[in-house]
Amino acid sequence: MENTLLIFIKNPQLGKVKTRLAATVGNDEALRIYKILLEMTRRAALDLAARRWLFYADFLEKRDGWRATDFSKKLQIGHDLGQRMENAFREAFEKGAKRVVIIGSDCPEISPEILRQAFLFLENGSEVVVGPAPDGGYYLLGLGSFFPEIFRNIEWSTDTVFSRTLKIAADFGKKTALLPVLSDVDTENDWVCFLEKQNLITQKE
């Protein structure tokens, strides 16, 4: 299949996920919320016609909600996030992908429509697609060909990730498309804001 979706997740272990969130809500609640985010991500991915590769942070989970018939399960390889993403993209393109998109598991607003739009941009000639987050990072990155420089010389987990990514793409003359701004959930306030937004949408409906 020409389109490949990469999904980076953390193994859902108590005390090892959503540490900023856990600082105010506790480890148990942080894990519960993270499992909700995982399920939202899984459902969005399942509604997409693409090859799906699921990358675990620490070890392969054989018996979880991500069925091996729907997702090829792999391990993230690399010393930092940039290196791990670079290696995942390299493998996807080496295995015949024409367009590759990566997402994490922190964005509850991710949807099949957003994912399809990312691949559509790439099909229509964009070389880089980015989904910006309000905190200066991004929730999605898509490439039309292997472009390792997009993962290098970036200070990850800072508010400069998005702007730095755009600059690298511009410096290499890459045609870039932007998706709508969507929020990640990193803190208790992020989660509360998401719940409030959902409640407002429900009330309007």
Side-chain angles (χ1 to χ4, degrees), residues 45-145:
L46 276 177
D47 202 21
L48 181 74
R51 184 170 56 177
R52 307 177 201 92
W53 288 5
L54 179 67
F55 286 83
Y56 294 89
D58 298 315
F59 56 88
L60 296 180
E61 296 267 8
K62 293 184 178 180
R63 297 180 180 179
D64 59 9
W66 305 78
R67 296 190 305 177
T69 52
D70 298 320
F71 300 88
S72 297
K73 299 186 174 188
K74 301 173 179 291
L75 274 178
Q76 299 172 28
I77 300 173
H79 297 299
D80 64 15
L81 179 58
Q83 203 173 78
R84 294 194 295 270
M85 289 196 292
E86 180 179 332
N87 288 333
F89 271 85
R90 177 187 289 108
E91 182 180 359
F93 281 114
E94 287 178 350
K95 293 292 177 63
K98 300 298 183 184
R99 295 167 289 273
V100 181
V101 167
I102 192 168
I103 59 173
S105 53
D106 300 326
C107 182
E109 295 177 300
I110 198 72
S111 67
E113 292 74 25
I114 287 288
L115 297 176
R116 282 192 281 268
Q117 183 61 60
F119 281 111
L120 189 60
F121 275 132
L122 295 173
E123 290 172 17
N124 290 337
S126 294
E127 298 168 282
V128 177
V129 178
V130 188
D135 62 3
Y138 57 74
Y139 62 87
L140 180 152
L141 178 72
L143 298 178
S145 61

Side-chain angles (χ1 to χ4, degrees), residues 2-16:
E2 292 186 337
N3 291 344
T4 297
L5 176 67
L6 313 177
I7 308 164
F8 269 31
I9 70 171
K10 290 185 177 180
N11 297 78
Q13 297 177 282
L14 187 66
K16 294 187 177 181

